[in-house]
Amino acid sequence: MIEKLAQFTDIRCCLVVGGLSTKVQEAALRSMPDIVVATPGRMIDHLRNSMSVGLEDLAVLILDEADRLLELGFSAEIRELVRVCPKRRQTMLFSATMTEEVDELIKLSLNRPMRLSADPSTKRPATLTEEVVRIRRMREVNQEAVLLALCSKTFAAKVIIFSGTKQAAHRLKILFGLAGLKAAELHGNLTQVQRLDALELFRRQQVDFLIATDVAARGLDIIGVQTVINFACPRDLTSYVHRVGRTARAGREGYAVTFVTDNDRSVLKAIAKRAGSKLRSRIVSEQSIAKWCQTIEQMEDQVAEVLQEEREERALRKAEMEATKAENMIAHKDEIYSRPKRTWFATEKEKRLVANAAKASGDNDKGPTKEVISAQQAEDLKMKEKRKREREKNLPRKKRRRLEASREMLEDEEADEVEQGRGNSKKDKAGKLLVDVAYRHAKAVKAVKKAQAAGKFVKKVGKNPKRPSQRTQSRPEEMRDLFQSDMHDKKQKKGIHGAAKKKSKSFKSKSRFLDHELCFSNSSRCRKFAA
C-alpha cells in the first residue's frame, strides 16, 4: 500500500517481516529508507544481529492494531522496541478497539497523549447489510452445503469467508476447488510467501473467494470486497467488528452474512445488541442444500485422497530440507562457524513457558469454570458428530424415528432432573431449619413427660418468656400456687388408676373457682372444703 502511494515520490520504504530473506531485509535497512513496515520480532532480530542497523534517527513510531499486537503475545517485544527507540520521537497508536492493555501501553510510551476518534468503534456503516443464516440443531452437518449453495448462486465474487480453524479453512478450500469454484486460503499453516501469493490472487480477482481465519480480520484493505461470510460465528464483539469491517469500506455497499447454530444464538444476540446491528434473516433453498449435500458426500473420498497426498508431500519436503541443510553444513562449514552467534530476544522455549504461565495464571484468576476446549478439539467433536449423523441417516426409517424419539425423551428427562434438582436444593435449604425445630420440640416434649412422670409440675413457657420477678411472693399467691399444684397431682392420680366416674367436686365455672379461691385465702376452714 505504501509503495503504491509513494510510487511517484522520492519516499523509499521497505518491508521487514518473518518468513522472508533476512539478507535482503538487512541490505534494505542499511540503505536508510524513509518508512519501515515491520513486525516486532523480526525488527528486534535485526537490531540484535544485523550490523549497522539501529533506530538512532527514528522520528515517528506507529503501532497499528495495538490491541491485537498485545493479544498475540508481543507485549514484551513492544516494550523492548519502545525502550530502544530514542526518547525524542512521536508515537502513534491506531486501533478500532481499545483495551486495558492498550491503556497501559499508552501510559508507558506516550507523553501528554491526545485521543482522536474518527468514528465510534462499534458504529456500523450505513451501507452495510447484515444477515443471519440459521442452522438448525439437526442440520449442523449440512453447514458446508449451505455455504456452497450461497456461494454458487447468491454471492459469487469478491467474497471473504471466515472459518474457525486452520483445518476447517483448508477443507473448505479443497471442497471449493472440487466444486469448480476458484478459491484461495489464508491461515497460519501457510508460509509468508504463500500468504502474500493468496492475497495477490484475490486482489487481482483471479480467485473469487478468500477462505481465511482471523489472521485476515485486520489490516487488509482490499478494494471491492462485496461480501463477508462468517462460516464460524465470532465469539466476541471485537472479532465481529473487525471481520465485517473488511467490506462496506469508504462508502461502498457490502453484505455481512453470519451462520448461527442454536448454540451461537445468544452470543450473536448480545453482539448485535452492543453493536446496534439490525440483523435480517436469510433463507436458503432446501433443494439447493440437498443437492450440495449429495455432492459433498460424493467428494469425501477425493478430499481424503488430497489430504493424504499433501501429508506425503509435506514429509518429502521436510526430508529434502534436512538433506539440503546437511549438504550446506558440509560444504560451507568454515564460513558458517566463522559468523557471530545469533542472539534472540526470546527463544521458542521461553515463549512457550511464558504462554503456559499466563494461561495458568488466567485459569487461577477465573476460578472454577466450565472446561474450555481448543478450536482443534471443537472441530474434531464437530466432525465426529457429523459422522454419527451420517450413520443415522443410513438407518431404516423405523429405527431412525425410534432413535430420534428416544433422544428427545432423554433430553426431556434431563431437563426435568435439572428442574427437580433445583427445587430439591431449595427445599433442603429450608428443610434443615424445620428438622432442627422438630428435633428440639420432640426433645422438649420428652423432657416434660419425664418430669410429669416424676411428679414434678412443669410450667409452660411461651415464645417470649418473662423474666421471673425478683420480689418475694405474697401469702395469697403462695396459697394459690399450692392449691393449683395439689389439684394437678390429684388429676394425675385419677388418670393413673383409670377412674372413669364423673368429677362431682370439680369446679364448674371460673366464677366458682374464684369464689373458692377467695374463701381459701380468707378462712382456714375452707381447707376442709377444698380437700
Side-chain angles (χ1 to χ4, degrees), residues 45-63:
D45 184 15
H46 280 293
L47 291 174
R48 283 174 169 261
N49 302 305
S50 298
M51 303 298 291
S52 304
V53 175
L55 300 177
E56 294 80 10
D57 299 327
L58 181 69
V60 181
L61 173 65
I62 298 175
L63 300 175

Side-chain angles (χ1 to χ4, degrees), residues 54-103:
L55 300 177
E56 294 80 10
D57 299 327
L58 181 69
V60 181
L61 173 65
I62 298 175
L63 300 175
D64 191 20
E65 303 291 357
D67 59 330
R68 185 65 174 169
L69 287 174
L70 297 175
E71 285 177 8
L72 291 173
F74 289 120
S75 57
E77 285 87 345
I78 293 293
R79 284 173 172 78
E80 176 68 13
L81 278 176
V82 171
R83 188 187 64 80
V84 173
C85 292
K87 292 184 178 181
R88 296 180 62 84
R89 70 177 188 279
Q90 183 182 8
T91 306
M92 301 181 186
L93 277 73
F94 291 88
S95 179
T97 52
M98 288 292 176
T99 60
E100 295 179 359
E101 290 82 1
V102 177
D103 291 336

Side-chain angles (χ1 to χ4, degrees), residues 165 167 374-387:
T165 62
Q167 290 76 14
S374 63
Q376 177 61 33
Q377 290 173 332
E379 191 67 25
D380 294 341
L381 290 174
K382 188 176 178 182
M383 293 302 296
K384 188 177 179 181
E385 187 69 19
K386 180 179 179 181
R387 289 192 292 268

Side-chain angles (χ1 to χ4, degrees), residues 111-131:
N111 294 324
R112 299 188 300 274
M114 181 181 296
R115 186 185 293 266
L116 301 176
S117 298
D119 237 345
S121 61
T122 57
K123 186 178 178 182
R124 307 272 59 74
T127 56
L128 176 64
T129 304
E130 297 171 271
E131 298 180 348

